[in-house]
Amino acid sequence: MRRTRCSRAATGMIIGLVPLALAACGSSTSPPAAAAQTSMSPTASASGATASPSSLPALSAPPTVVLAEFTKYSPDTRAITYDPARVPVGSDVAVVSVQANGQTLTLLAVRGLPPNQHFGAHVHMNACGENPEAAGSHYQNRVDPTQPSVNPDYANPQNEIWLDFTTDAAGSAHVESNVGWTFGARPHKSIVIHAEHTSTEPGHAGTAGARLACVNV
């Protein structure tokens, strides 16, 4: 399990998100998004019962857990903001990714962003860099032979991991994606936050405006 330092508030978020991720990969349905707002102990299930180790699903890879604060770029930065007006320095981000039972559940939570604003977000193939374009293309389960991919047959939330969100009045949000495949050995190194919700129109599918921030996973 990989983890970075972050605020106590973000740590509280992740304590609730981890068991929800495990529970969702162990069943055919995702947990209600609202349940991610409920604080629980690391061994508690979404229903409040304590989960025994034998009841958890078999993981196909170690879980990824990232807790970080957005800062300006430096080589060792885990979460980078390219636009501090939309993703302020010091705002929190939490990511959980769990691969089990042929599925990948990804949870993204943010805190401290401007209120009541729309953002796009996707898993990208490359690590974050000083330049927003360094993260490269979206990770696709079935790779579009034409790149950049704007064909909705490939650029869609079943073939990619989309994590679009809208912040609430306090500037917080959480979102989840559950897809019926796992990453395998192919690289998936970052989550990029964009300026707009993701388009689904042919010729524009998968586009979501400027790259505002990036989180190494």
Side-chain angles (χ1 to χ4, degrees), residues 21 61-65 95-99 104-107 161 183 188 217:
T64 295
V65 177
V95 175
V96 178
S97 179
V98 178
Q99 300 180 74
T104 299
L105 178 69
T106 308
L107 302 170
I161 294 179
F183 290 114
H188 55 289
V217 297

Side-chain angles (χ1 to χ4, degrees), residues 156-196:
N156 62 66
Q158 290 76 47
N159 193 48
E160 301 180 349
I161 294 179
W162 293 10
L163 295 158
D164 291 11
F165 61 90
T166 300
T167 52
D168 62 17
S172 297
H174 64 264
V175 63
E176 64 187 60
S177 165
N178 196 358
V179 294
W181 43 267
T182 58
F183 290 114
R186 291 172 51 211
H188 55 289
K189 295 185 177 180
S190 62
I191 292 176
V192 173
I193 296 176
H194 293 259
E196 305 165 0

Side-chain angles (χ1 to χ4, degrees), residues 2-21:
R2 292 166 286 181
R3 177 172 174 166
T4 63
R5 297 181 61 189
C6 193
S7 70
R8 182 175 298 178
T11 301
M13 282 196 296
I14 219 68
I15 288 173
L17 292 174
V18 171
L20 290 174

